[in-house]
Amino acid sequence: MVDEDEEKGNMLNDFFSSVFTQENPMADKMISDKNSPLNVTCLTQQEVRRRLNITKIDKSPGPDGLHPRVLQELSTVIDRPLFLISKDSIITGSVPQDWRIANVVPIFKKGTKTELGNYRPVSLTSTVGKILEGILRDAILEYLKRNNLMTQDQHGFTRDRSCQTNLISFYKEVPVSKCTEDCPPGYRRILMNGSHKCCFQCLQCSDGEISNETDKRSCIRCPRDQWPNDNNQCAPKEREFLSYTDDSITLIITLIVIFLFLKTSFILGIFTLFRDTPVVKASNQSLSFLLLVSIMLSFLCIFLFLGRPTRLTCMLRQTLFGIIFSVAISSILAKTIMVYSAFKATKPGSKCRKFIGVKITNCLVFVCSFIQVVLCIIWLSTAPPFPESNFDLYVDKIVLQCNEGSIVAFSIILGYIGVLAAVSFLVAFLARNLPDSFNEAKYITFSMLVVCSVWGAFIPAYLSVTGKSSVLVEIFAILSSSVGILACIFYPKCYIIILRPDLNSKDNLLKKPKYDRENLTT
């Protein structure tokens, strides 16, 4: 694109010079042919007079000021000198200088005004020079007819059949190069190095660009939120998130969550129904109920990760799960400490007696959970999570996701859960060899091992995926850790309550441990 008049003139001159000076493969043949119109023996005085008589008299005069009617009236006088001048021009290959003078103006014809090919140069030249042009044009036409080198086009004009370019243009159009077909929509044309300026290549538009017109020199880049479709038009990009309507994996996750929630509710109902039995009492009823409710709420937190992200869901999905899961791990830690303290308290003079009691366990659960609540409040008040549209992850899709706001705060929330799980695992591991009546520590050890393994694998997996895959990884971690706690701690008790009621007795729980006479160990 140019703005200066001088630059426009240079560009127009270069463009139309290349169009009207194309070499024609017929030139050498016509020159070597003795019957060619370029041979002076083919030009006669009668031909010059005939051209004068058929010249249109309604044309404007050129720079020489001679009106065509004047030449026509004086045809019998000037036919001889005009014949000699024309003959000399053919021999020397040059016309008089006055015949070359013309004022050229490009006139817009059709299409886009920024395309030079849509302009036709119109010029007023010497009237006498036009006579010679008409003579040569008629001679070339006669030559083409004799040699069967012409055919009729849609305009009814004669065109050369053996060449790709026009020998004669009878209608008001800029001669078009046929060495390259027009570039279709979706492509742009570029000039080929070392070739004629009218010859070009068609290159497909780059990703994210369109060209919805034929023979465009440049492609148009689609807006950031759009992408070319099959019809070569900019259409809105696909939005990617865990949709309830368009994503089958969301439906599968929803069914799994509902199933696990109902299953946990069923276990809670069993513990409530058999709350007076020794197995339920021995596992601390209040902590067991609190743990089951926390697991149920953890399953329901999965729904915050599904669907289109909003500001509310982004703020709640990490913080709410962090608080609920901290309550669950705190309950397990309190159960483990109670089991360990109860066994140690049986020894005379043990200081562990003061750690036994409902108030101590409740206080432990409250303090551990309150710390997580404070951390989440600080996170939400300083750099809360927010929904965002990720345009850079994929070129043809927009990923709707939650920006955590502060990666440090997110890491602290998960890290605190990991610390609670690690402490619970350590205490349960120390209490793993307690007598059979207090064997809940073994199941707690297994459950904390599952939790630590899942969240330990979550960190590298979460960092290695992007888009909705990262959300799926976190959902899997939540489901796996919650199911691990549920299965390791409560399944054995449900087995005894439902299938082995004979073991659900006070005598069985309080039976004395057997001694190994060889090793003298309990």
Side-chain angles (χ1 to χ4, degrees), residues 32-77:
S32 61
D33 192 348
K34 66 179 182 179
N35 295 320
S36 169
L38 300 183
N39 193 316
V40 294
T41 59
C42 296
L43 184 61
T44 63
Q45 186 173 337
Q46 289 76 15
E47 176 64 24
V48 174
R49 185 182 300 172
R50 187 187 70 84
R51 168 49 58 181
L52 286 171
N53 292 330
I54 66 173
T55 300
K56 293 183 179 181
I57 61 175
D58 58 348
K59 296 295 183 181
S60 299
D64 56 7
L66 292 176
H67 198 280
R69 179 182 291 273
V70 175
L71 297 180
Q72 194 174 83
E73 294 292 336
L74 300 175
S75 61
T76 57
V77 179

Side-chain angles (χ1 to χ4, degrees), residues 12 19 104 107 125 141-142 153 203 265 312 352 357 384 411 435 444 457 483:
L12 289 167
V19 172
V104 183
I107 297 179
T125 58
L141 177 60
E142 185 63 28
D153 65 2
L203 290 184
S265 302
L312 180 62
C352 294
S411 303
I444 293 176
V483 171

Side-chain angles (χ1 to χ4, degrees), residues 331-351:
S331 302
I332 295 175
L333 178 60
K335 288 169 67 70
T336 308
I337 292 177
M338 275 199 63
V339 171
Y340 185 79
S341 300
F343 178 73
K344 294 295 183 181
T346 57
K347 296 181 181 180
S350 175
K351 297 181 180 181

Side-chain angles (χ1 to χ4, degrees), residues 175-400:
V176 180
S177 170
K178 294 298 182 180
C179 64
T180 305
E181 295 293 333
D182 292 338
C183 296
Y187 290 80
R188 62 184 177 90
R189 68 176 186 175
I190 60 170
L191 296 178
M192 296 184 295
N193 294 331
S195 300
H196 198 279
K197 292 185 178 180
C198 290
C199 297
F200 47 85
Q201 286 181 324
C202 294
L203 290 184
Q204 189 172 8
C205 293
S206 303
D207 291 340
E209 296 181 343
I210 64 168
S211 173
N212 51 13
E213 295 182 10
T214 302
D215 205 23
K216 293 287 290 184
R217 295 196 177 189
S218 60
C219 297
I220 303 173
R221 178 162 291 278
C222 290
R224 195 181 183 191
D225 60 342
Q226 296 182 0
W227 190 256
N229 58 13
D230 296 337
N231 297 326
N232 197 39
Q233 295 178 345
C234 290
K237 288 183 179 180
E238 177 187 355
R239 266 64 173 176
E240 183 182 78
F241 60 96
L242 291 176
S243 173
Y244 285 102
T245 57
D246 300 330
D247 205 331
S248 58
I249 193 171
T250 305
L251 177 60
I252 296 175
I253 293 174
T254 302
L255 295 177
I256 293 175
V257 170
I258 293 175
F259 171 76
L260 294 176
F261 178 81
L262 295 177
K263 192 172 185 179
T264 309
S265 302
F266 177 73
I267 295 175
L268 179 61
I270 292 176
F271 268 63
T272 303
L273 184 63
F274 295 91
R275 60 183 177 276
D276 296 328
T277 60
V279 170
V280 177
K281 289 183 177 181
S283 61
N284 196 318
Q285 295 181 26
S286 59
L287 292 180
S288 296
F289 292 156
L290 180 61
L291 180 57
L292 285 171
V293 172
S294 300
I295 294 175
M296 293 171 60
L297 295 178
S298 296
F299 288 140
L300 294 181
C301 285
I302 299 296
F303 291 110
L304 295 175
F305 293 82
L306 304 178
R308 191 185 188 96
T310 63
R311 187 172 186 82
L312 180 62
T313 56
C314 287
M315 294 176 63
L316 292 180
R317 62 167 54 175
Q318 304 293 355
T319 55
L320 190 60
F321 166 73
I323 294 173
I324 292 174
F325 207 68
S326 296
V327 173
I329 302 298
S330 300
S331 302
I332 295 175
L333 178 60
K335 288 169 67 70
T336 308
I337 292 177
M338 275 199 63
V339 171
Y340 185 79
S341 300
F343 178 73
K344 294 295 183 181
T346 57
K347 296 181 181 180
S350 175
K351 297 181 180 181
C352 294
R353 292 177 180 270
K354 59 183 179 181
F355 294 104
I356 301 177
V358 177
K359 294 182 178 180
I360 298 297
T361 56
N362 292 342
C363 182
L364 179 63
V365 173
F366 175 78
V367 171
C368 293
S369 303
F370 181 74
I371 294 175
Q372 185 73 299
V373 172
V374 172
L375 293 176
C376 292
I377 292 175
I378 295 174
W379 183 11
L380 294 178
S381 60
T382 55
F386 58 91
E388 68 173 358
S389 299
N390 193 331
F391 294 91
D392 303 324
L393 194 57
Y394 303 105
V395 295
D396 57 344
K397 291 187 291 186
I398 300 176
V399 179
L400 303 182

Side-chain angles (χ1 to χ4, degrees), residues 136-146 158 168 170:
L136 293 178
R137 185 178 62 187
D138 293 343
I140 293 174
L141 177 60
E142 185 63 28
Y143 176 84
L144 295 177
K145 289 181 178 180
R146 288 198 307 266
T158 301
I168 307 174
F170 285 87

Side-chain angles (χ1 to χ4, degrees), residues 104-133:
V104 183
V105 178
I107 297 179
F108 175 71
K109 297 293 292 183
K110 62 179 181 179
T112 306
K113 291 188 176 182
T114 57
E115 296 289 338
L116 284 178
N118 295 330
Y119 289 80
R120 178 175 66 86
V122 177
S123 61
L124 291 178
T125 58
S126 171
T127 306
V128 180
K130 291 181 179 179
I131 300 298
L132 178 59
E133 293 176 7

